[in-house]
C-alpha cells in the first residue's frame, strides 16, 4: 500500500488531532477527533479484530478500512453490516485549479439548517453541520445574496459535503467550490483529498476534471452501531 492510499490517515494525524492507537508491522490504527472514527491500513482482518478487542473498541465501532477482505472479516466477527464504500482521490499538484470569479464565503450558523436539509450522507445532519460551521470548516457560494451551494471538511480532514441547490445546478458551481477548497488546503500546507461513494459517476467525473488522482485502495466506511 502506497502513501496516497494512506493519505486520509496521515492528514488526520497531521492536521485534525488524530491519535495513534496502534502502530506495528501489521499497519496502524488511528482514532479521529470527536467522532471517534477509526482509520486503519491493516490488511489482516483477524489481527485488526484482535487489536480492537484488546482496546475494548468492538461496540458501536465505526472504521474506515482499505480492503474488502478486511471489511468482510469485520462483518463476520463484529457484525459490521452497515457500510459506505468509497474511492479515495488525492490532489498532488502544487497549484489549485483555476475557476471563474464567484462569491465564496465561510458559512455561519444561520446556514446550518439549509445544509442539513440538502446534505443527507451523515446521520443527525443538523448537529454535524453546526459542528463543521463552528469549526470554520464550511464555505458557501452565494449568488445574488442567496446560498447556491456549499462545501466543507469532515472531522477527519477529507473534503466533502459538496452540494449545489437544485435551482443553481449546471453552472459550474461544484467545480468552483471544490477548486476553492483545494486552494484553501494547499495554503495551509495540507494535501487535499476526498472520498467518493461507489457509483457516484458525476462526482468521479468532477474529480478527474479537477486533476485529482484516484488511489489504488478504496476507503470503505463500515460500522455496527
Amino acid at each position: 500500500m502506497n502513501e496516497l492510499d494512506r493519505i486520509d490517515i496521515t492528514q488526520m494525524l497531521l492536521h485534525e488531532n488524530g491519535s495513534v492507537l496502534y502502530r506495528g508491522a501489521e499497519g496502524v490504527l488511528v482514532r479521529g477527533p470527536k467522532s471517534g472514527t477509526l482509520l486503519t491500513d491493516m490488511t489482516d482482518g483477524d489481527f485488526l479484530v484482535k487489536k480492537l478487542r484488546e482496546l475494548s473498541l468492538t461496540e458501536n465501532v465505526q472504521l474506515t478500512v482499505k480492503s474488502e477482505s478486511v471489511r468482510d472479516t469485520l462483518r463476520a466477527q463484529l457484525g459490521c453490516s452497515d457500510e459506505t464504500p468509497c474511492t479515495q482521490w488525492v490532489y498532488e499538484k502544487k497549484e489549485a485549479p483555476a475557476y471563474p470569479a464567484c462569491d465564496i464565503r465561510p458559512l455561519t450558523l444561520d446556514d446550518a439548517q439549509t445544509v442539513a436539509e440538502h446534505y443527507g450522507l451523515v446521520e443527525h445532519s443538523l448537529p454535524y453541520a453546526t459542528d463543521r460551521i463552528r469549526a470554520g470548516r464550511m464555505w458557501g457560494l452565494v449568488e445574488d445574496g442567496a446560498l447556491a451551494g456549499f462545501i466543507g471538511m469532515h472531522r477527519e480532514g477529507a473534503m466533502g459535503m459538496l452540494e449545489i441547490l437544485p435551482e443553481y445546478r449546471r453552472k459550474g458551481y461544484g467545480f468552483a467550490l471544490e477548486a476553492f477548497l483545494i486552494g484553501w488546503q494547499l495554503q495551509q500546507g495540507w494535501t487535499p483529498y476526498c472520498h467518493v461513494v461507489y457509483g457516484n459517476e458525476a462526482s468521479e467525473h468532477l474529480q478527474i476534471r479537477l486533476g485529482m488522482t484516484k488511489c489504488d485502495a478504496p476507503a470503505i466506511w463500515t460500522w455496527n452501531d
Side-chain angles (χ1 to χ4, degrees):
M1 193 175 300
N2 59 46
E3 289 307 308
L4 285 188
D5 293 329
R6 297 186 178 93
I7 202 70
D8 51 346
I9 295 172
T10 57
Q11 291 298 291
M12 186 180 72
L13 291 174
L14 284 171
H15 306 300
E16 293 292 2
N17 299 316
S19 57
V20 177
L21 301 181
Y22 174 81
R23 188 191 301 274
E26 304 82 4
V28 298
L29 176 65
V30 303
R31 178 160 50 197
K34 291 189 177 182
S35 63
T37 297
L38 304 172
L39 281 70
T40 185
D41 60 355
M42 294 182 189
T43 57
D44 185 334
D46 290 328
F47 182 86
L48 174 59
V49 170
K50 175 184 175 182
K51 190 56 58 178
L52 291 171
R53 285 175 172 154
E54 289 176 358
L55 296 169
S56 300
L57 294 173
T58 58
E59 300 294 329
N60 298 320
V61 65
Q62 177 173 301
L63 301 98
T64 303
V65 299
K66 297 295 183 179
S67 75
E68 294 181 357
S69 63
V70 173
R71 182 274 317 275
D72 291 343
T73 300
L74 292 170
R75 181 184 294 169
Q77 297 192 30
L78 299 184
C80 293
S81 57
D82 296 315
E83 66 176 62
T84 302
C86 300
T87 52
Q88 182 164 280
W89 299 74
V90 182
Y91 193 78
E92 298 184 88
K93 302 176 183 179
K94 295 182 179 180
E95 300 294 330
Y99 60 94
C102 51
D103 185 4
I104 298 176
R105 62 183 70 169
L107 294 186
T108 70
L109 292 178
D110 291 338
D111 302 305
Q113 186 62 48
T114 300
V115 172
E117 290 172 357
H118 291 273
Y119 182 73
L121 284 182
V122 175
E123 189 178 6
H124 310 304
S125 294
L126 182 56
Y128 191 73
T130 300
D131 172 82
R132 296 291 76 211
I133 292 171
R134 283 178 172 158
R137 295 291 191 265
M138 290 210 71
W139 296 265
L141 191 153
V142 177
E143 181 183 293
D144 296 330
L147 184 64
F150 53 84
I151 195 169
M153 287 172 55
H154 291 290
R155 288 168 174 163
E156 292 73 36
M159 300 186 297
M161 306 179 73
L162 175 59
E163 293 287 338
I164 306 301
L165 276 62
E167 60 268 36
Y168 297 101
R169 291 174 183 167
R170 302 188 182 279
K171 294 187 175 185
Y173 287 166
F175 183 98
L177 278 164
E178 189 166 345
F180 163 84
L181 186 47
I182 288 171
W184 185 91
Q185 287 204 342
L186 290 175
Q187 289 175 358
Q188 316 307 311
W190 298 15
T191 300
Y193 78 95
C194 68
H195 292 160
V196 176
V197 177
Y198 280 11
N200 189 340
E201 294 183 1
S203 183
E204 291 202 348
H205 290 319
L206 175 60
Q207 308 317 313
I208 293 170
R209 288 175 53 216
L210 287 160
M212 302 278 281
T213 300
K214 185 178 180 180
C215 297
D216 294 329
I220 302 173
W221 293 74
T222 183
W223 60 96
N224 65 359
D225 51 327

